[in-house]
Amino acid sequence: MNYTLDFTPVIEGMPALLMACLGTFGLALGGMALAIVIGVGGVILRDSKIAPVRWLVKAFVELIRNTPFLVQIFFIYFALPLAGVRLDPTPTAIIALGINGGAYAIEIIRGGVQSIGKGQIEAGLALGLHKAQVFRLIVLKPALRAIFPSLTSQFVLLTLTTSVASAISAYELTSVAQRIESDSFRSFEVYGTITLFYLVISWVMMRFFAAISTRYFSYPVK
């Protein structure tokens, strides 16, 4: 097979690819922020005294964790307009990523919360702290430290999952790469290049989370 490598289309499209990397970071960070909100809120509701609320949270987690992300993003983008809810590709991708990541975050954060001893919670209440203060200061922060490696691994995976958003033409790296490939037919060069880009993106995200861990979770534990 005589195949001559030609990276000219990749070089010419490099500015567009670099801008698309920013789009990927934007989708990832937006999805992570929403996932954290859903995760923390879901943990609180998961332990609600109202049984139907607990069942709804359990059902949400099982539904999202046991269905493909591609189906979820298609449902939000194509099915919800039938109910009068119309979203552009980028907001759709952020919402879908947040919902998907949130379902996993609920279980991860819940595991960390359950690792906190009841004695610590009772001590906080005995000191006159409100329940919200006990949850934030005594439960949530130590729990986040315990589950931070698992949570960051999930968020790195969520960053790579942004590539699926190309299926609805959201602005991100894979979507732009597909356009370059369709114009040039240089599949090996284009997808080989963005493979390296995704490796760099993953490394940047891991360094970002490592900096957060050093800044906020590096304190001694007896």
Side-chain angles (χ1 to χ4, degrees):
M1 182 178 72
N2 295 322
Y3 183 84
T4 303
L5 293 175
D6 182 8
F7 284 91
T8 302
V10 175
I11 295 172
E12 293 176 348
M14 191 60 67
L17 290 173
L18 292 175
M19 288 300 297
C21 288
L22 296 179
T24 293
F25 278 118
L27 291 182
L29 293 176
M32 289 175 205
L34 181 56
I36 291 173
V37 172
I38 293 174
V40 174
V43 168
I44 295 172
L45 295 177
R46 179 69 171 72
D47 294 328
S48 171
K49 295 180 180 180
I50 304 173
V53 173
R54 297 197 304 270
W55 298 338
L56 284 174
V57 174
K58 291 179 183 179
F60 167 77
V61 171
E62 292 302 318
L63 175 65
I64 298 302
R65 292 177 65 184
N66 291 287
T67 54
F69 177 71
L70 182 61
V71 173
Q72 296 165 18
I73 199 170
F74 276 168
F75 178 83
I76 296 173
Y77 190 66
F78 293 113
L80 288 187
L82 300 177
V85 181
R86 299 180 181 278
L87 297 171
D88 291 333
T90 297
T92 298
I94 291 174
I95 291 171
L97 288 165
I99 290 173
N100 185 273
Y104 289 92
I106 287 173
E107 291 303 299
I108 294 173
I109 296 173
R110 180 167 168 264
V113 168
Q114 289 180 334
S115 69
I116 305 301
K118 291 184 178 180
Q120 294 175 259
I121 299 173
E122 292 171 354
L125 294 172
L127 289 172
L129 297 177
H130 297 295
K131 289 185 177 180
Q133 291 176 310
V134 169
F135 181 78
R136 180 170 62 88
L137 300 174
I138 297 177
V139 176
L140 187 58
K141 189 171 182 178
L144 284 177
R145 183 186 185 185
I147 54 92
F148 194 74
S150 298
L151 199 61
T152 55
S153 295
Q154 185 61 42
F155 283 162
V156 171
L157 179 61
L158 192 70
T159 302
L160 300 178
T161 305
T162 58
S163 61
V164 180
S166 63
I168 59 170
S169 300
Y171 182 70
E172 51 79 48
L173 182 58
T174 300
S175 179
V176 172
Q178 287 176 338
R179 290 198 289 270
I180 295 174
E181 190 275 336
S182 65
D183 291 337
S184 64
F185 300 102
R186 309 304 297 188
S187 302
F188 180 86
E189 293 88 336
V190 171
Y191 291 118
T193 299
I194 68 165
T195 296
L196 296 178
F197 277 26
Y198 277 114
L199 286 172
V200 173
I201 288 171
S202 297
W203 180 84
V204 170
M205 295 303 294
M206 286 188 288
R207 298 310 304 166
F208 172 70
F209 288 128
I212 292 177
S213 178
T214 301
R215 174 66 178 82
Y216 294 103
F217 299 114
S218 292
Y219 51 86
V221 177
K222 294 183 179 180

